[in-house]
Amino acid sequence: MLLRIVSILFPLFAIVAVGYLVARRKKPDLTAANTLNMDVFTPALVFGVLAGKDFHLDQFLPLAGATLTLIVSGGLLAWGVARLCKVQAKTLVPPVMFNNCGNLGLPLAVLAFGEKALPPAVVMFMISNLMHFSVGAWLLDHHTRLTTLWKVPVVAATLLGLVVSLAGISLWPPLLIAIKMIGDISIPLMLFALGVRLTDAHFGHWRIGLGGAALRPVAGMAVAALLTLVVPMPPLQQGMLIVFGALPPAVLNFIFAERYQQEPEKVASIVLLGNVIALIFLPLALALTLPG
């Protein structure tokens, strides 16, 4: 089992490490690449999965509801901890609510559970992104206009993909293949960019960094385990929900904190330490969920 877990996680962290090492030596500017990934490659991945003939939304409604509950519960727990520890809720709550379901979650799901895991992984990614660009942005700035949410490319791709799926529209197979090939660029680029982004983070605020980094997977796995007991889901989706709960904070939290000037240095520490201690929590989650 240990060898199996290592073989699953190694490709992910190897690509992240390559991105980190390249960034330390070459200091590449991935601004354009990250913009393309957010505006083109990732939307293509999401749309390709949702519009595929094998995707049936009704099979994932309980998982979608459980994912939404998990995200909201994490936020409420983090709010309580923030009040108790007298730290700003806007600093702690988003990194606990929103995990790295894109950079790490999507490739991890496929490596751990096979290609059949991509549709449910995309559903969880879809719910998390919709919440992050709406509720997450509103938490940091109450003047955020949610009416423009549909203009975010990944949100637009999600809505369009759902329309195609629910309407039963069959896309021309060569077109769908082309869209999926474009989407395939997103996952390795996400991992590489994560490694590059980690060179900008630091351990300056290690106390709140370590606390937030640990709270994210501990709360996530605990709530996910409870949800598997009350929400009827197939074993595959139950395992994926627990792994989802164990994921570290999303790098996007740091980007949002920087944009809204919400203690970005502290959020950077939470994100960095969260991705470091993922080396502990992700193997634990896999050990609990992978079939023997």
Side-chain angles (χ1 to χ4, degrees):
M1 176 63 76
L2 178 61
L3 181 61
R4 186 178 175 190
I5 292 173
V6 170
S7 66
I8 291 170
L9 293 177
F10 178 80
L12 306 181
F13 286 102
I15 297 175
V16 172
V18 169
Y20 181 84
L21 293 173
V22 169
R24 295 283 292 184
R25 291 178 61 87
K26 303 290 186 180
K27 301 190 184 305
D29 184 0
L30 292 188
T31 303
N34 288 333
T35 300
L36 285 172
N37 209 7
M38 290 296 293
D39 292 351
V40 180
F41 305 143
T42 300
L45 174 71
V46 172
F47 178 80
V49 171
L50 297 180
K53 63 180 180 180
D54 297 327
F55 182 83
H56 304 285
L57 182 62
D58 58 310
Q59 297 178 358
F60 304 110
L61 290 178
L63 176 64
T67 302
L68 179 61
T69 303
L70 176 57
I71 293 171
V72 173
S73 299
L76 293 174
L77 286 170
W79 179 80
V81 171
R83 291 290 298 271
L84 186 65
C85 299
K86 293 181 171 54
V87 300
Q88 288 200 40
K90 289 183 179 181
T91 299
L92 184 62
V93 171
V96 176
M97 286 184 72
F98 305 112
N99 63 22
N100 214 338
C101 57
N103 297 66
L104 285 179
L106 292 175
L108 177 58
V110 174
L111 287 172
F113 301 102
E115 287 293 332
K116 63 182 179 297
L118 186 56
V122 166
V123 168
M124 291 189 287
F125 174 74
M126 173 184 73
I127 296 296
S128 182
N129 266 266
L130 289 173
M131 288 289 289
H132 205 163
F133 282 100
S134 57
V135 176
W138 179 83
L139 286 173
L140 296 177
D141 182 5
H142 290 352
H143 295 98
T144 297
R145 296 180 60 187
L146 301 184
T147 54
T148 61
L149 181 63
W150 64 271
K151 293 182 179 180
V152 178
V154 72
V155 174
T158 297
L159 298 176
L160 186 58
L162 289 174
V163 168
V164 171
S165 176
L166 294 173
I169 300 172
S170 296
L171 297 181
W172 185 41
L175 173 61
L176 191 58
I177 291 173
I179 293 172
K180 289 184 175 180
M181 289 178 68
I182 294 174
D184 287 342
I185 300 172
S186 64
I187 290 178
L189 182 55
M190 284 179 184
L191 292 170
F192 186 86
L194 173 59
V196 173
R197 172 62 69 176
L198 289 179
T199 60
D200 295 331
H202 54 81
F203 295 97
H205 301 274
W206 67 269
R207 288 183 178 86
I208 187 174
L210 188 59
L215 181 60
R216 158 90 282 286
V218 169
M221 291 177 67
V223 173
L226 290 174
L227 288 171
T228 61
L229 298 177
V230 297
V231 180
M233 292 181 290
L236 172 66
Q237 295 181 20
Q238 290 180 341
M240 291 182 64
L241 186 67
I242 292 175
V243 173
F244 179 89
L247 290 169
V251 178
L252 191 59
N253 289 302
F254 170 67
I255 297 173
F256 271 40
E258 210 170 32
R259 177 188 300 173
Y260 296 109
Q261 287 302 299
Q262 180 56 47
E263 299 186 317
E265 298 84 5
K266 293 181 180 180
V267 176
S269 293
I270 296 174
V271 171
L272 174 60
L273 286 168
N275 280 273
V276 171
I277 67 173
L279 291 168
I280 299 172
F281 285 99
L282 289 182
L284 175 61
L286 291 173
L288 293 172
T289 57
L290 287 176

